[in-house]
């Protein structure tokens, strides 16, 4: 049994990761501030499914609260940390930038300090495919230069990777960042396209299709994400000479991996798969590209496969079928 701190357990990925760890017998200390970025009732429903499970305890707190985090690490002494709490969303970062400074920068700093001062074996944290920013060469590799983010959200996630490397280098703290690629599935976020499209189609409303549908996304099913997160957390990086970008290497116990399906899907094909599952054709409102968005994402996962022996592979048709089944049951539609 390992004692884990998992931040963001009321959230989509954090909830599923906590379930996976508990199922294999680990102890999970969950933290979430349960904010109202999206429907709190969905967060509370996730929390209710975790509540009372053997080995699980929950603290309602904000990772940006320095005092609360200092007290928590000092009293609970987690052995490993999986940090998934963050302010998500590319478009929302344009509307409410302060939320990203608080959650993604200050919050991450508090987690790093807690890990540094309390002997945490390994910090695994959520980065994002958004860090790839203005890159146009596909697939996206962790060896690519990612110094040109095009949204504040992406910039905060790139900052997390830089902060983690600094702590790995200075304090020998093992850290691993995971760049998630368009995660979807049951219990997913209501601000994501699949959720928005499903709700609109079932309600007979048009769906907003940006860049006139000329988009591709490396849609990655939640079970694959969770399997990758747990496997990576179990593999504690050691100080060895590791290339960071061409011409630069690091001896810090630090890694960054892509977690994506390694199979980009055209947005219109995703919509087609959803229409088939719902038995309804969507009315599509074609719109221009949104600020901060990119036309395509595609994950190179060769290093993930080589190091932890895992590669996401759930087909989009299978994932959407499972999502729609959950959505209909949860919302009784």
């Amino acid at each position: 049994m390992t004692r884990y701190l998992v931040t963001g357990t009321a959230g989509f990925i954090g909830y599923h990761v906590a379930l996976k760890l508990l199922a294999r017998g680990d102890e999970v200390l969950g933290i979430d501030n349960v904010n109202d970025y999206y429907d709190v009732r969905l967060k509370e429903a996730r929390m209710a499914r975790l509540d009372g499970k053997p080995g699980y305890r929950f603290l309602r707190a904000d990772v940006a609260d320095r005092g609360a985090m200092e007290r928590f690490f000092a009293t609970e002494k987690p052995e490993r940390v999986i940090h998934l709490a963050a302010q998500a969303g590319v478009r929302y970062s344009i509307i409410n930038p302060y939320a990203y400074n608080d959650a993604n920068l200050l919050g991450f700093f508090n987690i790093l300090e807690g890990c540094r001062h309390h002997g945490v074996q390994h910090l695994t944290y959520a980065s994002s495919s958004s860090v790839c920013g203005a890159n146009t060469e596909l697939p996206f590799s962790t060896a690519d230069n990612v110094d040109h983010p095009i949204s504040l959200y992406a910039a905060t996630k790139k900052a997390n990777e830089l902060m983690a490397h600094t702590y790995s280098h200075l304090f020998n703290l093992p850290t691993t960042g995971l760049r998630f690629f368009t995660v979807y599935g049951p219990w997913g976020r209501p601000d994501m396209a699949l959720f928005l499209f499903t709700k609109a189609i079932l309600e007979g409303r048009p769906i907003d299709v940006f860049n006139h549908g000329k988009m591709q996304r490396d849609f990655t099913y939640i079970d694959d994400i969770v399997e990758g997160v747990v496997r990576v957390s179990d593999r504690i990086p050691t100080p060895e000479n590791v290339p960071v970008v061409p011409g630069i290497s690091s001896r810090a116990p630090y890694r960054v991996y892509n977690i994506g399906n390694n199979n980009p899907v055209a947005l219109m094909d995703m919509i087609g798969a959803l229409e088939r599952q719902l038995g309804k054709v969507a009315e599509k409102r074609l719109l221009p590209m949104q600020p901060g968005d990119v036309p395509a994402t595609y994950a190179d996962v060769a290093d993930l496969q080589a190091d932890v022996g895992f590669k996401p592979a759930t087909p989009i048709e299978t994932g959407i079928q499972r999502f729609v089944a959950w959505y209909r049951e949860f919302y009784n539609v």
Side-chain angles (χ1 to χ4, degrees):
M1 178 186 290
T2 300
R3 174 176 283 197
Y4 276 90
L5 164 60
V6 180
T7 68
T9 50
F12 176 33
I13 301 175
Y15 158 72
H16 283 281
V17 167
L19 283 178
K20 176 81 170 180
L21 293 172
L22 292 168
R24 71 175 196 172
D26 291 313
E27 182 180 356
V28 175
L29 310 168
I31 286 182
D32 204 295
N33 67 356
V34 198
N35 67 29
D36 61 357
Y37 168 62
Y38 61 77
D39 189 358
V40 172
R41 292 172 297 177
L42 178 57
K43 296 183 179 184
E44 290 173 340
R46 296 185 190 122
M47 292 164 59
R49 290 170 63 89
L50 288 169
D51 188 40
K53 285 190 176 294
Y56 182 74
R57 286 185 293 128
F58 177 74
L59 173 67
R60 186 164 183 152
D62 194 327
V63 293
D65 184 336
R66 176 180 173 180
M69 291 302 99
E70 287 177 343
R71 290 189 296 273
F72 182 87
F73 274 93
T75 56
E76 300 293 348
K77 299 188 182 340
E79 297 169 275
R80 297 181 191 170
V81 175
I82 298 178
H83 178 53
L84 302 168
Q87 179 57 60
V90 168
R91 293 167 195 155
Y92 189 62
S93 68
I94 298 170
I95 301 168
N96 188 8
Y98 285 99
Y100 294 77
N101 178 74
D102 294 343
N104 299 6
L105 298 179
L106 179 55
F108 189 65
F109 176 72
N110 288 337
I111 293 294
L112 284 170
E113 280 288 284
C115 293
R116 168 196 172 189
H117 289 292
H118 296 283
V120 168
Q121 299 169 0
H122 187 197
L123 166 61
T124 305
Y125 62 94
S127 184
S128 169
S129 62
S130 296
V131 303
C132 299
N135 288 8
T136 56
E137 185 174 345
L138 299 175
F140 295 152
S141 167
T142 53
D144 293 340
N145 183 297
V146 288
D147 290 340
H148 300 87
I150 58 173
S151 70
L152 179 63
Y153 169 69
T156 64
K157 288 300 185 178
K158 170 62 176 175
N160 288 171
E161 294 181 7
L162 296 173
M163 293 161 74
H165 183 269
T166 302
Y167 271 66
S168 294
H169 174 77
L170 289 176
F171 308 116
N172 203 36
L173 171 65
T175 67
T176 303
L178 300 172
R179 294 176 181 170
F180 296 139
F181 281 68
T182 314
V183 188
Y184 74 102
W187 298 94
R189 280 173 29 209
D191 62 323
M192 298 292 284
L194 179 60
F195 202 115
L196 291 169
F197 290 170
T198 300
K199 187 174 190 296
I201 293 169
L202 288 174
E203 292 175 357
R205 295 183 291 105
I207 62 174
D208 292 338
V209 182
F210 295 107
N211 201 32
H212 304 282
K214 298 173 184 176
M215 307 268 274
Q216 287 186 317
R217 286 293 179 269
D218 203 346
F219 294 100
T220 313
Y221 189 63
I222 183 61
D223 289 2
D224 290 334
I225 290 289
V226 171
E227 182 68 23
V229 169
V230 173
R231 288 199 189 203
V232 165
S233 180
D234 286 340
R235 187 181 189 275
I236 301 175
T238 56
E240 56 187 78
N241 200 43
V242 176
V244 180
V245 294
I248 300 176
S249 60
S250 170
R251 290 196 58 83
Y254 164 90
R255 301 289 186 279
V256 171
Y257 297 106
N258 291 331
I259 297 191
N261 219 43
N262 191 229
N263 181 31
V265 174
L267 179 60
M268 298 304 288
D269 290 343
M270 183 274 270
I271 293 170
L274 179 59
E275 289 172 329
R276 288 189 290 276
Q277 289 300 321
L278 294 174
K280 297 183 71 173
V281 175
E283 179 187 347
K284 303 167 187 71
R285 186 159 52 198
L286 302 180
L287 299 171
M289 181 77 86
Q290 292 290 284
D293 216 341
V294 297
T297 64
Y298 178 6
D300 180 342
V301 295
D303 52 355
L304 177 72
Q305 191 170 13
D307 287 354
V308 302
F310 176 71
K311 173 184 176 180
T314 302
I316 188 73
E317 290 275 1
T318 301
I320 288 179
Q321 179 185 35
R322 293 172 183 170
F323 171 79
V324 168
W326 167 81
Y327 186 97
R328 286 189 179 279
E329 179 181 4
F330 186 77
Y331 289 102
N332 194 28
V333 292

